[in-house]
Amino acid sequence: MRAWHPGRPARSLRLRVPGGTIAFQDRIQGRCGQDVAAEIGDFVLRRADGIHAYQLAVVVDDAWQGITDVVRGADLTASTPRQILLQRALGLPTPPMPTSPWCSMRGGAS
């Protein structure tokens, strides 16, 4: 993590992302991957207002609860490589992460 302006406190905390593709096997979509450094860049872990970002919160929460499989909608597949990077950085296991197609009710609500 780093401050964007040396000598000043960080306004937010970010994870410095290494280059290279983070690949994973999705049980439904098959092999997926993303070069997080090129496509997303360093991403926020704690916002300037002190709130922890979603990516960090779900990784820590899943590990704390002992989650063995993370099932999510296909719309969140792009978040998986960032979560894998965080799991590695924190020394946490990476559970299988199958995705399911987008589901909605008749009125369009998810």
Side-chain angles (χ1 to χ4, degrees):
M1 291 186 268
R2 62 184 161 130
W4 284 104
H5 302 285
R8 288 179 42 196
R11 297 183 191 269
S12 64
L13 294 177
R14 295 176 175 265
L15 180 69
R16 183 172 287 181
V17 178
T21 299
I22 302 299
F24 61 98
Q25 186 68 31
D26 183 294
R27 289 183 184 169
I28 297 168
Q29 293 188 45
R31 189 153 178 85
C32 300
Q34 181 182 49
D35 184 337
V36 178
E39 296 178 39
I40 304 293
D42 297 347
F43 58 92
V44 174
L45 299 178
R46 187 174 53 89
R47 302 180 338 189
D49 62 7
I51 302 293
H52 289 91
Y54 168 80
Q55 301 299 342
L56 178 61
V58 297
V59 165
V60 172
D61 189 54
D62 288 349
W64 181 73
Q65 292 186 63
I67 300 298
T68 59
D69 291 72
V70 177
V71 180
R72 63 173 55 115
D75 58 314
L76 294 174
T77 302
S79 295
T80 303
R82 283 175 277 172
Q83 292 169 15
I84 292 170
L85 281 171
L86 282 169
Q87 289 159 340
R88 290 176 182 172
L90 296 170
L92 299 172
T94 298
M97 299 185 192
T99 56
S100 65
W102 182 263
C103 296
S104 64
M105 295 186 286
R106 270 186 210 161
S110 58

